[in-house]
Amino acid sequence: MTVDGGETDLWLEVMGPLRVRRSGVELDPGPRQQRLVLALLLADAGRTVPVGEIVDALWEEPPAHAVNVVQRHIGGLRRLLEPGLAARSTGRWIASDPAGYRLLATAEQLDLLRFRALVRRGAAAERAGHVEEALSHYVEALPLWRGACGSMPELPSQQPAVFGAVDRECVDLVRRTADLAHRGCAVRLVLPALRRATELHPLDEALHAQFLGTLSADGKQAEAIAVYQDICRRLAEELDVGPGAQLRQAYATVLRADGAHGLPGAGPRHRPRDAATTRARAAPLPVPAQLPQDPPRIVGRDEELRRGLDALDGPDGGPAAVPILAVDGLPGIGKTTFAVHLAHRLTAAYPDGQLHVDMRGFAPDGPTDPGEALRGFLTALGLPDAEVPAALQARVGLYRSALAGRRVLVLVDNVRDAEQARHLLPGAPGCAVLVTGRGRLTALATGFGARLVNLDVLSPAQSRELVASRVGVARTPAGRHAVDQVAQRCGGLPLALAAVAAHASPPTGDAVDSQVREAFSWSYRLLSPRARRLFRLLPVHPGPGIAAPAVACLLGASAAEARALVGELVRAGLLVERGAGRYDSHDLIRAYAHELSVEAEPEAVRREALGRLADHYRQPDLVGLR
């Protein structure tokens, strides 16, 4: 689409978690209420959404200034979708009239409109009797549905009706596609969408009956039995009823047919099992063992290891349903070493194998794509590479099917954020996941029940122990003094301690070892330009910690921009919050920032920043504070 003569590559997603991307880069849609306003406009694309509907979605009891707040959010969204838009301008994306607001997008910019266009083409082909063509359009449309419409942790419990209507569209298409897939013996194509539909409607017996038949037709009897047992349990616990006749019939077909039939009542032609499926069922399942070598010794992590074992091994010695442990900490804090060691301690609890992938979340040449990680997992689990589907959601569904009924430990190392890890989470009980990342992986806790563990720097005694484990115990006063100096100058950072021990010499002054510098640089390169500049100017501040208002003065930025940039540095692991509203960084990270500051920032610029900071602290209510 062309806007004011310039090219824009804007892609909006509302059929699942809300997303806004421009040229492949994900944008932040803003605070909770603004995100909800955007989700409403996207779900009702092409229709004017009355201001009253927006107000009702945002508040149970609207404040007197509710309309003004809505207008402010609309302005923020217009500037998000069209950067550089002049103040009070309407722009090209959100139209307004006396009744409300309307999103102006096409099927090339919005997943919901593309979904509907594909459904219309499929329906036309189906009416014309072209079943394969219809199925092709439907199968292309289904991966656009990634979950509950507009889903986000901040949504109110009573979600807007339009979100439910979109989800019903998707579930209706899943049912129709499943019917066509059975006619054409292509049931595997619809399984991922059927899984999402049953997750969204966990008590819909007709939908689960269709799911059972489709699993059976694809030769997944074990998973079909597990699905049936799961819905029976939910029906009993939540509704105090047993399964109905349709669901019982579907289950009986699974048990009786052993995968030879499709949906209940289907004839012999519904037999999609091919030679590859037959071979896979006959051959023993491979047991992947992908963990890197166990470190010979790990220092100072006894408490964290205990918590990790409790989280992934279960309090009674048996794993819970898909337990997840998310480990975070500074660059160089030893997250990978810790996770690999913990995973090796757990191998006996997961005898069906251990999967491992480095997601390279902060690598300069880009992170590992979740789809490629899934390809590696699927081939390790015995699927021939030629049979790995191209679509990401199809790979997710196949991966979860392959893990159903098995006890596998999955180590997902070095993620940039929770989004990079979520596609790799198993869906069946018995498996467990260990995730590491530099930023706090809160979304895995709120969305998937993960336990969070933060790795802190080592104490001086632990630092000395780590060095001694690498170079031997110092036996002279001079040797012990040298080890103490190493521990002090490395600030308890395991990567720095290991690097110094490898060179058998302490770091000099503020210099940062090249290996440690590289670890920091991976995070630094991924910062936005303004966040990189803030990182370079932070060493100008003389104190051990800095508050957001001081950051704003140091950078010459607004309070809002300063908060956003500080948040970016925290998520990258280059800054940590040391109490309410005050931030600090590790000594070696500060030394790295100082190196960059001297290299990239002219002395005059640093003096100006220091002057702004001094003016800030001269304010009467800040005298004596840092």
Side-chain angles (χ1 to χ4, degrees), residues 546-549 577-583:
I546 187 169
E577 190 169 7
R578 301 290 192 191
R582 295 192 68 81
Y583 301 88

Side-chain angles (χ1 to χ4, degrees), residues 2 53 59 111 127 135 145 213 323 331-332 346 367 421-422 457 517 562 596 604 619:
T2 301
E53 286 188 19
W59 297 279
D111 61 351
R127 287 192 298 270
L135 185 60
W145 180 44
L346 289 164
R422 69 181 183 88
V457 295
R517 183 186 293 106
L596 294 176
Q619 297 177 42

Side-chain angles (χ1 to χ4, degrees), residues 566-598:
V566 165
E568 190 175 346
L569 290 177
V570 169
R571 289 190 296 274
L574 296 175
L575 206 61
V576 292
E577 190 169 7
R578 301 290 192 191
R582 295 192 68 81
Y583 301 88
D584 196 4
S585 57
H586 188 275
D587 289 347
L588 290 179
I589 293 178
R590 194 180 302 116
Y592 173 63
H594 178 74
E595 290 180 6
L596 294 176
S597 181
V598 172

Side-chain angles (χ1 to χ4, degrees), residues 325-351:
L325 185 74
V327 181
D328 67 87
L330 299 174
I333 204 69
K335 298 179 292 295
T336 297
T337 299
F338 171 82
V340 170
H341 181 70
L342 176 59
H344 277 281
R345 295 272 298 269
L346 289 164
T347 53
Y350 298 95

